[in-house]
Amino acid sequence: MNKYELILVVAPNLTEEEVKATFEKAKGVIEGNGGVVDNVDDWGKRRLAYEINDFNEGFYYLVNFSSNPELPKELDRILRITDSVVRHMVVKQG
């Protein structure tokens, strides 16, 4: 199993429950496909470096997880079609 890091930016115009639901969806994809979530850092609402989809802020999450090499592709596919996700990035840790 490889170690990965996910940065997730969720839209700021959602309710607290919708933000948590979006994060739980990403976490569920990881755990549902045989991955293990090692650590979660909720960075809260932060200002974006530049405007994305008319948003200047977003809720940030940093998730460290271990999984097989196929999981990040599936996670990327699901997060791309999730409307409440402003940006995301999955990086393999050395």
Side-chain angles (χ1 to χ4, degrees), residues 10 19 48:
V10 181
V19 172
L48 299 173

Side-chain angles (χ1 to χ4, degrees), residues 54-68:
D54 296 328
F55 295 127
N56 291 321
E57 296 177 320
F59 291 97
Y60 280 73
Y61 289 93
L62 172 66
V63 182
N64 298 91
F65 66 96
S66 303
S67 73
N68 58 21

Side-chain angles (χ1 to χ4, degrees), residues 15-82:
T15 66
E16 188 175 329
E17 292 81 26
E18 291 171 324
V19 172
K20 292 282 185 202
T22 302
F23 167 71
E24 289 298 327
K25 179 178 181 178
K27 188 176 170 186
V29 170
I30 294 168
E31 293 173 342
N33 289 307
V36 177
V37 175
D38 300 325
N39 186 32
V40 175
D41 285 333
D42 181 353
W43 292 356
K45 195 175 197 178
R46 293 182 171 234
R47 188 154 181 79
L48 299 173
Y50 53 90
E51 188 175 286
I52 302 171
N53 299 338
D54 296 328
F55 295 127
N56 291 321
E57 296 177 320
F59 291 97
Y60 280 73
Y61 289 93
L62 172 66
V63 182
N64 298 91
F65 66 96
S66 303
S67 73
N68 58 21
E70 293 80 31
L71 179 64
K73 293 175 190 168
E74 177 66 12
L75 182 61
D76 182 57
R77 184 187 72 78
I78 291 172
L79 292 177
R80 280 180 195 260
I81 61 175
T82 304

